[in-house]
Amino acid sequence: MKDILNDKATLRSQLLHSRSLMGSDRRVAACRALRDALLALPEVARAETVAAYVPVGSEPGGRDLAEDLAAGSTRRVLLPVLLADNDLDWAVYEGPASLVPAGRGLREPIGPRLGVEGVRTADVLVVPGLAVDRRGLRLGRGGGSYDRALTRVRAAVTVVLLYDDEVLDRVPAEPHDVPVDIAVTPAAVYRFSR
């Protein structure tokens, strides 16, 4: 187990370093391509509720991910609120003005909280990640927040947004890691069987 944790930490460090080297022009272009590919997914197009996240720093998806998901549709978008124990509460996105700065550089919605189980209402859950492998196993930042959310939405379609070089043959995994259904990169969409 200790080896897997060390392998995860090493891979996280490498991937974060690679992201830090990405130029802003490339990142902006990648975010546009990711947005277009995500919105083109049939699962997203027909979803009544999508739970997503607000990208920060070099995270794929772009600063306006929630707005892009909500624009031009009646789709309800849920966004996370990080709790003290690293679990995620959820609130409905109500436009850019409904986001406020929070700890760890995050932006969170200010609306009424739905509780950690609120994510169960989502038809699609879009999660951040650092990498995914050919089995659909996702490597996150290590806090376990989205791992918990993934266990709550067994009936929802789960999607991770990544850059092109972050789809790997294999990522270190633990027994509790939950695979995602789809990985979207600027250049491709990968579908995994659960």
Side-chain angles (χ1 to χ4, degrees):
M1 181 64 97
K2 188 174 182 180
D3 289 342
I4 290 174
L5 295 177
N6 288 336
D7 292 346
K8 282 185 171 184
T10 299
L11 184 55
R12 278 187 191 103
S13 178
Q14 292 167 352
L15 292 163
L16 288 168
H17 178 70
S18 178
R19 282 185 180 179
S20 75
L21 299 176
M22 185 183 299
S24 63
D25 289 345
R26 181 175 167 222
R27 188 175 337 211
V28 168
C31 287
R32 272 192 223 113
L34 278 166
R35 177 200 60 218
D36 293 346
L38 178 64
L39 293 175
L41 291 176
E43 294 89 347
V44 173
R46 68 175 171 256
E48 293 179 16
T49 301
V50 174
Y53 63 100
V54 181
V56 294
S58 62
E59 284 185 326
R63 184 173 176 88
D64 297 323
L65 178 63
E67 187 63 24
D68 293 338
L69 285 165
S73 75
T74 59
R75 180 182 309 121
R76 186 171 77 138
V77 176
L78 304 180
L79 295 176
V81 176
L82 185 65
L83 299 173
D85 65 355
N86 278 346
D87 208 341
L88 299 174
D89 198 339
W90 297 88
V92 176
Y93 173 70
E94 297 175 354
S98 71
L99 298 177
V100 296
R104 300 184 190 181
L106 300 172
R107 292 183 304 141
E108 296 177 340
I110 57 174
R113 302 295 184 253
L114 305 174
V116 297
E117 301 296 329
V119 72
R120 287 184 188 266
T121 65
D123 304 302
V124 175
L125 172 60
V126 181
V127 298
L130 293 172
V132 70
D133 69 17
R134 303 291 176 178
R135 302 168 293 173
L137 290 172
R138 169 191 150 275
L139 179 69
R141 289 192 179 242
S145 302
Y146 286 94
D147 292 321
R148 293 180 211 171
L150 285 166
T151 64
R152 293 184 178 115
V153 294
R154 297 284 182 178
V157 174
T158 55
V159 181
V160 63
L161 301 181
L162 299 167
Y163 296 112
D164 291 321
D165 57 351
E166 296 172 345
V167 178
L168 309 176
D169 288 333
R170 203 160 191 78
V171 297
E174 298 171 80
H176 67 267
D177 289 331
V178 179
V180 294
D181 299 307
I182 301 170
V184 176
T185 73
V189 172
Y190 301 85
R191 291 181 177 271
F192 311 104
S193 57
R194 274 201 221 184

